[in-house]
Amino acid sequence: MDTQSREHSRKRLVMGNWKMHGNQAANTVLLDGLCAGVTAVPNCDVAVCVPFPYLGQANASLQGSGISWGAQDVSRHEQGAYTGEVAAAMLADFGCAWVLAGHSERRAMHGETDQLVADKAAAALSAGLTPVVCVGETLDEQEAGRTKDVISRQLAPVLALGASSLARIVLAYEPVWAIGTGLTATPDQAQEVHAFIRARLAELGVPQVRILYGGSVKASNAASLFAMPDIDGALVGGASLVAEEFLRIAAA
Ligand code: PEP
């Protein structure tokens, strides 16, 4: 499939990652703002990944809004004696469509390995959720010219899930040095990595997989990123906590 037809076959997806922010009162303001404004962005899929305790609130507030919701992590286990973990079926029970797997903060702070991330993606798929698998290099790795090696290593167990699974996932390229730092990969830098990932997917017969970019995306830089042929949307942290800013990104 050539670049132009690829561009036309994938609707953009803009997904917020609230991280560990929010409370019921603040969430109500944010969710109401999103529901009120989302009709102005019909050409983009809009979603939010909220902390576990607020999944019920998202489920209640976003019904029928056109905005989908999800969680930020999932257990690789189906059920059982895994205190503190949350199963994919539980997320589905709260209407989740999505779950992040392998966000860099979980890889760095919770020691999540590439294989564990792939296992979590598989668990999500088994429960009918779409995993959003995050990959990305650190600043040291980027400066050492190792970006593609790192992405290849992180992707290997995910790609091993096979074409029929891959066709049901979303990938997010999030350079660690750009997350929450205000530094964004230039559109060309991001495109180069997205094209690299796309080529790997194409070899496996699934070039249509959506690949989001994440890392300090804001309304002011979203349009130039989205102009790139292999960038299918964004995973947005900080800027997803303000409804107007987040929707401006979706409108970009
Ligand atoms: C993220 O948390 O996935 C992220 C990209 O954060 P930010 O937009 O704040 O850099």
Side-chain angles (χ1 to χ4, degrees):
M1 196 185 287
D2 65 22
T3 293
Q4 198 179 28
S5 43
R6 271 210 317 264
E7 247 183 303
H8 291 148
S9 65
R10 295 190 304 271
K11 193 176 181 188
R12 296 224 192 288
L13 167 63
V14 170
M15 178 174 288
N17 171 18
W18 290 6
K19 311 196 191 210
M20 198 172 72
H21 293 290
N23 56 58
Q24 293 193 69
N27 299 345
T28 298
V29 174
L30 178 49
L31 292 167
D32 287 353
L34 293 176
C35 290
V38 74
T39 46
V41 287
N43 297 324
C44 181
D45 289 330
V46 177
V48 289
C49 291
V50 310
F52 291 134
Y54 302 129
L55 286 172
Q57 190 178 15
N59 190 9
S61 303
L62 296 175
Q63 289 289 338
S65 67
I67 301 170
S68 52
W69 59 95
Q72 300 167 15
D73 187 30
V74 65
S75 176
R76 75 186 159 101
H77 302 290
E78 226 175 279
Q79 63 168 341
Y82 301 104
T83 303
E85 298 219 23
V86 176
M90 297 172 183
L91 303 181
D93 204 19
F94 279 86
C96 288
W98 315 94
V99 65
L100 304 183
H103 189 280
S104 64
E105 288 154 14
R106 295 214 56 87
R107 290 179 189 262
M109 297 176 203
H110 301 273
E112 294 198 1
T113 63
D114 301 329
Q115 185 60 55
L116 176 61
V117 172
D119 290 349
K120 289 183 173 199
L125 286 169
S126 300
L129 305 179
T130 300
V132 179
V133 178
C134 305
V135 296
E137 81 287 4
T138 63
L139 186 58
D140 284 353
E141 290 164 340
Q142 193 231 22
E143 287 176 348
R146 296 185 47 227
T147 296
K148 289 177 184 167
D149 290 345
V150 170
I151 304 290
S152 296
R153 191 208 71 220
Q154 292 173 330
L155 278 180
V158 180
L159 298 182
L161 295 174
S164 64
S165 293
L166 291 169
R168 296 185 288 131
I169 74 167
V170 169
L171 294 175
Y173 169 55
E174 298 205 299
V176 178
W177 48 270
I179 296 180
T181 58
L183 298 173
T184 317
T186 64
D188 286 334
Q189 272 176 320
Q191 167 59 25
E192 188 182 340
V193 178
H194 281 233
F196 172 74
I197 296 172
R198 181 87 59 211
R200 301 298 318 280
L201 293 166
E203 284 164 15
L204 298 169
V206 283
Q208 75 280 8
V209 171
R210 292 203 276 199
I211 310 173
L212 310 183
Y213 170 77
S216 299
V217 175
K218 311 183 265 292
S220 57
N221 59 25
S224 57
L225 289 161
F226 295 167
M228 294 290 135
D230 289 300
I231 298 183
D232 302 317
L235 182 56
V236 184
S240 71
L241 298 173
V242 177
E244 300 74 43
E245 175 75 5
F246 184 54
L247 289 172
R248 272 203 292 273
I249 293 170

